[in-house]
Amino acid sequence: MWLTILKRLVQAVPTIIGVTILVFLLMSKTGDPVKNLLGPEASPEEIQQLRRELKLDRPLYERYLGWVSGAVRFDFGKSYSDPKQDVGPLIPPKVLATLELATVTMFVATVVALFVGVFSAAKPGGLFDGLSRTMIFVFLAMPSFWLGIELIILFSRKVPLFPPAGKSDLPFFTLEGLKSHFSHLALPVMTLGIGTGAALCRVLRASMLEVLHADFVRTAKAKGLSGRTVLIKHAFRNALIPFVTLSALTFAGLLEGSIIVETVFAWPGMGRQMVEAIKGRDAPIAMAGVLLAAMLYVTINLIVDVLYVVIDPRVRLDGGAAK
Amino acid sequence: MKEFFLSLKVVWRKLKRDRSAMVGLCVAIGLVCTALISVYVAPFDRVIQQDLPKALQPPSAEHWFGTDYLGRDVFLRILYGSRISLVVGIVVVGIGMSIGLLLGTSAGYFGGWWDAVVMRLTDIMLAFPFLLLAIALTAVLGKPSLTNTILALGVASFPSYTRLVRGNVLSLREESYVDAARVCGASHNRIMWRHLMPNLMGTLIVYGTLRISTAILAEAGLSYLGLGAQLPTPTWGNMLSDGRDFIIFFEWLPLFPGLAILLTVAGFNLLGDGLRDALDPKTRR
């Protein structure tokens, strides 16, 4: 097993190096920042001076190596829109805000998916199953930015329960702060969570239905176990394997979803920051954001691979470690 | 090729029996018809025509979906948006599929160093969330525009096609008819395009149909973020962000573009699922 895990880790190295190269190449082609910063009136001397300061006069490979060695130390250089501002310190609060949103969304979506998925599979074709399947289908086709706007209209304007945008600044560990944090989180979490919950629910339901037709479930029923015991102790536990792995991948997918949802709700996270940076041609911020998101994506995929090895013995055998 | 058309007939017979898939097909045909009608009913100069005294009117007999903050007819703008969504869906899938088919077929068929290079590139690109990669590519292509969005989405989507095609080619190249063609002296090109390609089409049609909805949704998302087609060109996505200050106070403004996206995406999802079932040999009767 350990050999297989090690193999997967080694396989990820070229991908990670490739990701850094692609991010660098893409973002270095987003236009000349010097002209943007100095404007059309700048003299050639001024342009040359700034190019030297931003190290843009060096060859591409040298700039890449400099950027990677900086990125390893969490030094992403200076912002192009404000050359006095280091990019590194800007990142952690934004990443934390995005992770806060993604974690709460994941928790809520998982709980709802577990509940709906299991009950839906318990009586396939029933009223609850039919209703939940229709809802899942609609939610999966719903654009998150539209859902967000509709939720703002419903829960902020018509029934003013939650704030329409922003993130609470109050300290988290007071009653007032906790309330404020949750009320600010409510609408973005609903927006991001509805599609996520629907996707998880669909997988859990399908997985439950497959397991419920398996031989060991028939054996459990033949032994005279109650329907509930069969459902929860036998079917549910086995259906959880694909669900757990998909949940990890879904968490990575939330980063993508947060790009739009953060913009709808003015949530000060990394997604919104990246969109602003790309719009403003601020390559160092955009590069840091894209690199971190891709790295997180690669890491989560790697964790899922490792989880597979741990959970599913067939993958272990395939890896050759258990020969 | 004859077998391909024969299997299409079988697929169509099966598809006709699937009510959900038929609803999906109706939505797809509806989108095409709407886009065609919009060429005559909603020309560009009419959809950008401002009429400030009539701004922010609710739906009525005169303006079916109401008017926006500049007095522009929301119904006409949605009709125009359908044209953009259809073009985006088809062209993005076309670009992704063409690159994916070319790279995936050659990588799977030839194997060796070329396969390794293509698959590493695919792995690297799949390490990025789809929308994030599309946003990054949009930035590379210059100022946001519809053409750049389509190119960015097309390029961002090719890795998934490449992986799918390569996987299929790996098993198809071991088939006896490929050996037979080789023995008959068929060139590599002939084997790839005349023998392997028709056998890949079924899988690609299903995947492509499902990806149309992803492309439409992604374009709407990029337009919403201001990274897609630029105003005053109306798209379903930028109609949800144009006049942001008014949108939450006048419900019909976001309602209809959102419903248009929802209906289209749901329709293509249904059609894709139906095609998948119809083409699945396990369910083929």
Side-chain angles (χ1 to χ4, degrees), chain A residues 12-44:
Chain A
V13 174
T15 310
I16 290 171
I17 295 172
V19 165
T20 58
I21 294 174
L22 190 63
V23 170
F24 181 79
L25 286 179
L26 285 177
M27 291 299 142
S28 60
K29 300 282 172 214
T30 54
D32 191 351
V34 176
K35 281 182 187 157
N36 288 345
L37 282 170
L38 295 177
E41 311 279 297
S43 67

PDB file of all heavy atoms in Angstrom, chain A residues 12-44:
ATOM      1  N   ALA A  12       2.803  12.916  -9.013  1.00  0.00           N
ATOM      2  CA  ALA A  12       2.234  14.267  -8.931  1.00  0.00           C
ATOM      3  C   ALA A  12       3.278  15.349  -9.155  1.00  0.00           C
ATOM      4  O   ALA A  12       2.944  16.476  -9.522  1.00  0.00           O
ATOM      5  CB  ALA A  12       1.560  14.467  -7.578  1.00  0.00           C
ATOM      6  N   VAL A  13       4.564  15.004  -8.963  1.00  0.00           N
ATOM      7  CA  VAL A  13       5.621  16.023  -9.055  1.00  0.00           C
ATOM      8  C   VAL A  13       5.689  16.684 -10.443  1.00  0.00           C
ATOM      9  O   VAL A  13       5.646  17.916 -10.544  1.00  0.00           O
ATOM     10  CB  VAL A  13       7.000  15.443  -8.619  1.00  0.00           C
ATOM     11  CG1 VAL A  13       8.116  16.445  -8.855  1.00  0.00           C
ATOM     12  CG2 VAL A  13       6.938  15.057  -7.155  1.00  0.00           C
ATOM     13  N   PRO A  14       5.754  15.883 -11.534  1.00  0.00           N
ATOM     14  CA  PRO A  14       5.788  16.555 -12.859  1.00  0.00           C
ATOM     15  C   PRO A  14       4.559  17.408 -13.117  1.00  0.00           C
ATOM     16  O   PRO A  14       4.656  18.464 -13.762  1.00  0.00           O
ATOM     17  CB  PRO A  14       5.864  15.400 -13.867  1.00  0.00           C
ATOM     18  CG  PRO A  14       5.875  14.135 -13.121  1.00  0.00           C
ATOM     19  CD  PRO A  14       5.883  14.413 -11.664  1.00  0.00           C
ATOM     20  N   THR A  15       3.394  16.945 -12.617  1.00  0.00           N
ATOM     21  CA  THR A  15       2.165  17.743 -12.799  1.00  0.00           C
ATOM     22  C   THR A  15       2.313  19.091 -12.098  1.00  0.00           C
ATOM     23  O   THR A  15       1.981  20.133 -12.670  1.00  0.00           O
ATOM     24  CB  THR A  15       0.944  16.986 -12.239  1.00  0.00           C
ATOM     25  OG1 THR A  15       0.962  15.672 -12.757  1.00  0.00           O
ATOM     26  CG2 THR A  15      -0.360  17.676 -12.585  1.00  0.00           C
ATOM     27  N   ILE A  16       2.834  19.057 -10.870  1.00  0.00           N
ATOM     28  CA  ILE A  16       2.985  20.309 -10.109  1.00  0.00           C
ATOM     29  C   ILE A  16       3.970  21.255 -10.820  1.00  0.00           C
ATOM     30  O   ILE A  16       3.704  22.449 -10.965  1.00  0.00           O
ATOM     31  CB  ILE A  16       3.440  20.012  -8.651  1.00  0.00           C
ATOM     32  CG1 ILE A  16       2.277  19.346  -7.909  1.00  0.00           C
ATOM     33  CG2 ILE A  16       3.876  21.282  -7.932  1.00  0.00           C
ATOM     34  CD1 ILE A  16       2.608  18.799  -6.557  1.00  0.00           C
ATOM     35  N   ILE A  17       5.082  20.692 -11.299  1.00  0.00           N
ATOM     36  CA  ILE A  17       6.066  21.528 -12.033  1.00  0.00           C
ATOM     37  C   ILE A  17       5.398  22.100 -13.297  1.00  0.00           C
ATOM     38  O   ILE A  17       5.522  23.295 -13.602  1.00  0.00           O
ATOM     39  CB  ILE A  17       7.332  20.712 -12.392  1.00  0.00           C
ATOM     40  CG1 ILE A  17       8.058  20.313 -11.116  1.00  0.00           C
ATOM     41  CG2 ILE A  17       8.260  21.514 -13.304  1.00  0.00           C
ATOM     42  CD1 ILE A  17       9.208  19.355 -11.309  1.00  0.00           C
ATOM     43  N   GLY A  18       4.651  21.236 -13.990  1.00  0.00           N
ATOM     44  CA  GLY A  18       3.946  21.674 -15.200  1.00  0.00           C
ATOM     45  C   GLY A  18       2.948  22.782 -14.900  1.00  0.00           C
ATOM     46  O   GLY A  18       2.827  23.746 -15.672  1.00  0.00           O
ATOM     47  N   VAL A  19       2.252  22.661 -13.756  1.00  0.00           N
ATOM     48  CA  VAL A  19       1.278  23.684 -13.367  1.00  0.00           C
ATOM     49  C   VAL A  19       1.970  25.027 -13.173  1.00  0.00           C
ATOM     50  O   VAL A  19       1.504  26.058 -13.668  1.00  0.00           O
ATOM     51  CB  VAL A  19       0.523  23.253 -12.079  1.00  0.00           C
ATOM     52  CG1 VAL A  19      -0.207  24.423 -11.444  1.00  0.00           C
ATOM     53  CG2 VAL A  19      -0.459  22.135 -12.393  1.00  0.00           C
ATOM     54  N   THR A  20       3.133  25.009 -12.495  1.00  0.00           N
ATOM     55  CA  THR A  20       3.847  26.284 -12.263  1.00  0.00           C
ATOM     56  C   THR A  20       4.279  26.903 -13.602  1.00  0.00           C
ATOM     57  O   THR A  20       4.157  28.106 -13.791  1.00  0.00           O
ATOM     58  CB  THR A  20       5.095  26.092 -11.367  1.00  0.00           C
ATOM     59  OG1 THR A  20       5.961  25.156 -11.997  1.00  0.00           O
ATOM     60  CG2 THR A  20       4.749  25.623  -9.979  1.00  0.00           C
ATOM     61  N   ILE A  21       4.759  26.032 -14.522  1.00  0.00           N
ATOM     62  CA  ILE A  21       5.207  26.555 -15.830  1.00  0.00           C
ATOM     63  C   ILE A  21       4.016  27.164 -16.585  1.00  0.00           C
ATOM     64  O   ILE A  21       4.091  28.284 -17.099  1.00  0.00           O
ATOM     65  CB  ILE A  21       5.871  25.436 -16.682  1.00  0.00           C
ATOM     66  CG1 ILE A  21       7.161  24.983 -16.017  1.00  0.00           C
ATOM     67  CG2 ILE A  21       6.151  25.926 -18.109  1.00  0.00           C
ATOM     68  CD1 ILE A  21       7.826  23.791 -16.687  1.00  0.00           C
ATOM     69  N   LEU A  22       2.886  26.423 -16.577  1.00  0.00           N
ATOM     70  CA  LEU A  22       1.714  26.909 -17.323  1.00  0.00           C
ATOM     71  C   LEU A  22       1.178  28.224 -16.728  1.00  0.00           C
ATOM     72  O   LEU A  22       0.878  29.168 -17.467  1.00  0.00           O
ATOM     73  CB  LEU A  22       0.621  25.832 -17.328  1.00  0.00           C
ATOM     74  CG  LEU A  22      -0.545  26.099 -18.265  1.00  0.00           C
ATOM     75  CD1 LEU A  22      -0.087  26.128 -19.712  1.00  0.00           C
ATOM     76  CD2 LEU A  22      -1.627  25.019 -18.113  1.00  0.00           C
ATOM     77  N   VAL A  23       1.099  28.269 -15.400  1.00  0.00           N
ATOM     78  CA  VAL A  23       0.612  29.506 -14.748  1.00  0.00           C
ATOM     79  C   VAL A  23       1.522  30.671 -15.126  1.00  0.00           C
ATOM     80  O   VAL A  23       1.049  31.747 -15.513  1.00  0.00           O
ATOM     81  CB  VAL A  23       0.578  29.343 -13.205  1.00  0.00           C
ATOM     82  CG1 VAL A  23       0.326  30.681 -12.524  1.00  0.00           C
ATOM     83  CG2 VAL A  23      -0.494  28.349 -12.803  1.00  0.00           C
ATOM     84  N   PHE A  24       2.850  30.438 -15.057  1.00  0.00           N
ATOM     85  CA  PHE A  24       3.795  31.512 -15.364  1.00  0.00           C
ATOM     86  C   PHE A  24       3.658  31.974 -16.816  1.00  0.00           C
ATOM     87  O   PHE A  24       3.580  33.172 -17.088  1.00  0.00           O
ATOM     88  CB  PHE A  24       5.228  31.045 -15.077  1.00  0.00           C
ATOM     89  CG  PHE A  24       6.236  32.109 -15.353  1.00  0.00           C
ATOM     90  CD1 PHE A  24       6.441  33.136 -14.447  1.00  0.00           C
ATOM     91  CD2 PHE A  24       6.970  32.116 -16.530  1.00  0.00           C
ATOM     92  CE1 PHE A  24       7.350  34.143 -14.706  1.00  0.00           C
ATOM     93  CE2 PHE A  24       7.874  33.118 -16.800  1.00  0.00           C
ATOM     94  CZ  PHE A  24       8.067  34.130 -15.883  1.00  0.00           C
ATOM     95  N   LEU A  25       3.621  30.977 -17.729  1.00  0.00           N
ATOM     96  CA  LEU A  25       3.542  31.344 -19.145  1.00  0.00           C
ATOM     97  C   LEU A  25       2.243  32.084 -19.454  1.00  0.00           C
ATOM     98  O   LEU A  25       2.232  33.101 -20.148  1.00  0.00           O
ATOM     99  CB  LEU A  25       3.634  30.081 -20.019  1.00  0.00           C
ATOM    100  CG  LEU A  25       5.016  29.445 -20.115  1.00  0.00           C
ATOM    101  CD1 LEU A  25       4.961  28.197 -20.975  1.00  0.00           C
ATOM    102  CD2 LEU A  25       6.029  30.428 -20.693  1.00  0.00           C
ATOM    103  N   LEU A  26       1.135  31.563 -18.917  1.00  0.00           N
ATOM    104  CA  LEU A  26      -0.167  32.201 -19.187  1.00  0.00           C
ATOM    105  C   LEU A  26      -0.178  33.634 -18.686  1.00  0.00           C
ATOM    106  O   LEU A  26      -0.539  34.562 -19.399  1.00  0.00           O
ATOM    107  CB  LEU A  26      -1.298  31.425 -18.513  1.00  0.00           C
ATOM    108  CG  LEU A  26      -1.736  30.104 -19.148  1.00  0.00           C
ATOM    109  CD1 LEU A  26      -2.805  29.445 -18.301  1.00  0.00           C
ATOM    110  CD2 LEU A  26      -2.279  30.338 -20.545  1.00  0.00           C
ATOM    111  N   MET A  27       0.249  33.786 -17.424  1.00  0.00           N
ATOM    112  CA  MET A  27       0.117  35.110 -16.809  1.00  0.00           C
ATOM    113  C   MET A  27       1.157  36.106 -17.329  1.00  0.00           C
ATOM    114  O   MET A  27       0.944  37.306 -17.280  1.00  0.00           O
ATOM    115  CB  MET A  27       0.211  34.992 -15.286  1.00  0.00           C
ATOM    116  CG  MET A  27      -0.990  34.294 -14.702  1.00  0.00           C
ATOM    117  SD  MET A  27      -2.496  35.214 -15.060  1.00  0.00           S
ATOM    118  CE  MET A  27      -3.656  33.948 -15.363  1.00  0.00           C
ATOM    119  N   SER A  28       2.304  35.583 -17.832  1.00  0.00           N
ATOM    120  CA  SER A  28       3.280  36.529 -18.375  1.00  0.00           C
ATOM    121  C   SER A  28       2.844  37.041 -19.751  1.00  0.00           C
ATOM    122  O   SER A  28       3.463  37.939 -20.312  1.00  0.00           O
ATOM    123  CB  SER A  28       4.667  35.885 -18.465  1.00  0.00           C
ATOM    124  OG  SER A  28       4.609  34.765 -19.311  1.00  0.00           O
ATOM    125  N   LYS A  29       1.786  36.435 -20.285  1.00  0.00           N
ATOM    126  CA  LYS A  29       1.294  36.876 -21.602  1.00  0.00           C
ATOM    127  C   LYS A  29       0.046  37.770 -21.482  1.00  0.00           C
ATOM    128  O   LYS A  29      -0.702  37.939 -22.430  1.00  0.00           O
ATOM    129  CB  LYS A  29       0.929  35.666 -22.474  1.00  0.00           C
ATOM    130  CG  LYS A  29       2.072  34.731 -22.739  1.00  0.00           C
ATOM    131  CD  LYS A  29       3.003  35.268 -23.812  1.00  0.00           C
ATOM    132  CE  LYS A  29       4.245  34.409 -23.933  1.00  0.00           C
ATOM    133  NZ  LYS A  29       5.429  35.153 -24.276  1.00  0.00           N
ATOM    134  N   THR A  30      -0.218  38.246 -20.272  1.00  0.00           N
ATOM    135  CA  THR A  30      -1.456  39.015 -20.096  1.00  0.00           C
ATOM    136  C   THR A  30      -1.298  40.505 -20.415  1.00  0.00           C
ATOM    137  O   THR A  30      -2.122  41.327 -20.031  1.00  0.00           O
ATOM    138  CB  THR A  30      -2.006  38.875 -18.654  1.00  0.00           C
ATOM    139  OG1 THR A  30      -0.969  39.240 -17.757  1.00  0.00           O
ATOM    140  CG2 THR A  30      -2.488  37.483 -18.368  1.00  0.00           C
ATOM    141  N   GLY A  31      -0.248  40.846 -21.079  1.00  0.00           N
ATOM    142  CA  GLY A  31      -0.077  42.258 -21.457  1.00  0.00           C
ATOM    143  C   GLY A  31       1.077  42.889 -20.709  1.00  0.00           C
ATOM    144  O   GLY A  31       1.527  42.379 -19.684  1.00  0.00           O
ATOM    145  N   ASP A  32       1.584  43.996 -21.236  1.00  0.00           N
ATOM    146  CA  ASP A  32       2.738  44.670 -20.644  1.00  0.00           C
ATOM    147  C   ASP A  32       2.278  45.546 -19.476  1.00  0.00           C
ATOM    148  O   ASP A  32       1.583  46.546 -19.671  1.00  0.00           O
ATOM    149  CB  ASP A  32       3.420  45.523 -21.721  1.00  0.00           C
ATOM    150  CG  ASP A  32       4.771  46.033 -21.249  1.00  0.00           C
ATOM    151  OD1 ASP A  32       5.056  45.865 -20.048  1.00  0.00           O
ATOM    152  OD2 ASP A  32       5.527  46.583 -22.068  1.00  0.00           O
ATOM    153  N   PRO A  33       2.662  45.179 -18.248  1.00  0.00           N
ATOM    154  CA  PRO A  33       2.201  45.954 -17.088  1.00  0.00           C
ATOM    155  C   PRO A  33       2.808  47.357 -17.054  1.00  0.00           C
ATOM    156  O   PRO A  33       2.213  48.272 -16.514  1.00  0.00           O
ATOM    157  CB  PRO A  33       2.672  45.123 -15.898  1.00  0.00           C
ATOM    158  CG  PRO A  33       3.814  44.325 -16.418  1.00  0.00           C
ATOM    159  CD  PRO A  33       3.516  44.062 -17.858  1.00  0.00           C
ATOM    160  N   VAL A  34       3.999  47.496 -17.644  1.00  0.00           N
ATOM    161  CA  VAL A  34       4.688  48.794 -17.577  1.00  0.00           C
ATOM    162  C   VAL A  34       3.869  49.875 -18.273  1.00  0.00           C
ATOM    163  O   VAL A  34       3.674  50.966 -17.732  1.00  0.00           O
ATOM    164  CB  VAL A  34       6.103  48.674 -18.209  1.00  0.00           C
ATOM    165  CG1 VAL A  34       6.793  50.024 -18.240  1.00  0.00           C
ATOM    166  CG2 VAL A  34       6.932  47.685 -17.414  1.00  0.00           C
ATOM    167  N   LYS A  35       3.358  49.536 -19.449  1.00  0.00           N
ATOM    168  CA  LYS A  35       2.551  50.518 -20.190  1.00  0.00           C
ATOM    169  C   LYS A  35       1.274  50.847 -19.413  1.00  0.00           C
ATOM    170  O   LYS A  35       0.827  51.991 -19.387  1.00  0.00           O
ATOM    171  CB  LYS A  35       2.208  49.968 -21.575  1.00  0.00           C
ATOM    172  CG  LYS A  35       3.358  50.108 -22.536  1.00  0.00           C
ATOM    173  CD  LYS A  35       2.974  49.607 -23.907  1.00  0.00           C
ATOM    174  CE  LYS A  35       4.209  49.604 -24.802  1.00  0.00           C
ATOM    175  NZ  LYS A  35       4.070  48.689 -25.899  1.00  0.00           N
ATOM    176  N   ASN A  36       0.705  49.824 -18.775  1.00  0.00           N
ATOM    177  CA  ASN A  36      -0.509  50.040 -17.975  1.00  0.00           C
ATOM    178  C   ASN A  36      -0.232  50.956 -16.792  1.00  0.00           C
ATOM    179  O   ASN A  36      -1.031  51.826 -16.456  1.00  0.00           O
ATOM    180  CB  ASN A  36      -1.057  48.706 -17.441  1.00  0.00           C
ATOM    181  CG  ASN A  36      -1.688  47.875 -18.538  1.00  0.00           C
ATOM    182  OD1 ASN A  36      -1.971  48.392 -19.612  1.00  0.00           O
ATOM    183  ND2 ASN A  36      -1.897  46.605 -18.273  1.00  0.00           N
ATOM    184  N   LEU A  37       0.951  50.743 -16.160  1.00  0.00           N
ATOM    185  CA  LEU A  37       1.268  51.501 -14.948  1.00  0.00           C
ATOM    186  C   LEU A  37       1.651  52.946 -15.251  1.00  0.00           C
ATOM    187  O   LEU A  37       1.227  53.866 -14.553  1.00  0.00           O
ATOM    188  CB  LEU A  37       2.422  50.825 -14.198  1.00  0.00           C
ATOM    189  CG  LEU A  37       2.067  49.581 -13.381  1.00  0.00           C
ATOM    190  CD1 LEU A  37       3.332  48.885 -12.904  1.00  0.00           C
ATOM    191  CD2 LEU A  37       1.200  49.959 -12.186  1.00  0.00           C
ATOM    192  N   LEU A  38       2.462  53.129 -16.296  1.00  0.00           N
ATOM    193  CA  LEU A  38       2.985  54.473 -16.575  1.00  0.00           C
ATOM    194  C   LEU A  38       2.110  55.305 -17.513  1.00  0.00           C
ATOM    195  O   LEU A  38       2.240  56.528 -17.559  1.00  0.00           O
ATOM    196  CB  LEU A  38       4.402  54.356 -17.162  1.00  0.00           C
ATOM    197  CG  LEU A  38       5.469  53.774 -16.220  1.00  0.00           C
ATOM    198  CD1 LEU A  38       6.795  53.649 -16.949  1.00  0.00           C
ATOM    199  CD2 LEU A  38       5.650  54.637 -14.979  1.00  0.00           C
ATOM    200  N   GLY A  39       1.261  54.613 -18.258  1.00  0.00           N
ATOM    201  CA  GLY A  39       0.400  55.349 -19.195  1.00  0.00           C
ATOM    202  C   GLY A  39       1.120  55.658 -20.492  1.00  0.00           C
ATOM    203  O   GLY A  39       2.339  55.459 -20.604  1.00  0.00           O
ATOM    204  N   PRO A  40       0.387  56.183 -21.477  1.00  0.00           N
ATOM    205  CA  PRO A  40       0.981  56.399 -22.811  1.00  0.00           C
ATOM    206  C   PRO A  40       1.997  57.543 -22.855  1.00  0.00           C
ATOM    207  O   PRO A  40       2.797  57.643 -23.778  1.00  0.00           O
ATOM    208  CB  PRO A  40      -0.235  56.717 -23.691  1.00  0.00           C
ATOM    209  CG  PRO A  40      -1.298  57.178 -22.750  1.00  0.00           C
ATOM    210  CD  PRO A  40      -1.030  56.556 -21.436  1.00  0.00           C
ATOM    211  N   GLU A  41       1.993  58.413 -21.839  1.00  0.00           N
ATOM    212  CA  GLU A  41       2.877  59.605 -21.857  1.00  0.00           C
ATOM    213  C   GLU A  41       4.300  59.303 -21.394  1.00  0.00           C
ATOM    214  O   GLU A  41       5.176  60.162 -21.492  1.00  0.00           O
ATOM    215  CB  GLU A  41       2.294  60.678 -20.928  1.00  0.00           C
ATOM    216  CG  GLU A  41       0.816  60.979 -21.127  1.00  0.00           C
ATOM    217  CD  GLU A  41       0.574  61.927 -22.280  1.00  0.00           C
ATOM    218  OE1 GLU A  41       1.031  63.061 -22.207  1.00  0.00           O
ATOM    219  OE2 GLU A  41      -0.069  61.503 -23.266  1.00  0.00           O
ATOM    220  N   ALA A  42       4.548  58.099 -20.866  1.00  0.00           N
ATOM    221  CA  ALA A  42       5.846  57.802 -20.235  1.00  0.00           C
ATOM    222  C   ALA A  42       6.996  57.857 -21.225  1.00  0.00           C
ATOM    223  O   ALA A  42       6.845  57.483 -22.388  1.00  0.00           O
ATOM    224  CB  ALA A  42       5.784  56.416 -19.604  1.00  0.00           C
ATOM    225  N   SER A  43       8.158  58.335 -20.732  1.00  0.00           N
ATOM    226  CA  SER A  43       9.349  58.411 -21.599  1.00  0.00           C
ATOM    227  C   SER A  43      10.000  57.032 -21.652  1.00  0.00           C
ATOM    228  O   SER A  43       9.834  56.221 -20.741  1.00  0.00           O
ATOM    229  CB  SER A  43      10.332  59.424 -21.030  1.00  0.00           C
ATOM    230  OG  SER A  43      10.836  58.940 -19.806  1.00  0.00           O
ATOM    231  N   PRO A  44      10.813  56.780 -22.709  1.00  0.00           N
ATOM    232  CA  PRO A  44      11.491  55.467 -22.813  1.00  0.00           C
ATOM    233  C   PRO A  44      12.368  55.179 -21.597  1.00  0.00           C
ATOM    234  O   PRO A  44      12.485  54.033 -21.177  1.00  0.00           O
ATOM    235  CB  PRO A  44      12.342  55.610 -24.083  1.00  0.00           C
ATOM    236  CG  PRO A  44      11.715  56.707 -24.867  1.00  0.00           C
ATOM    237  CD  PRO A  44      11.074  57.620 -23.889  1.00  0.00           C
TER     238      PRO A  44
END
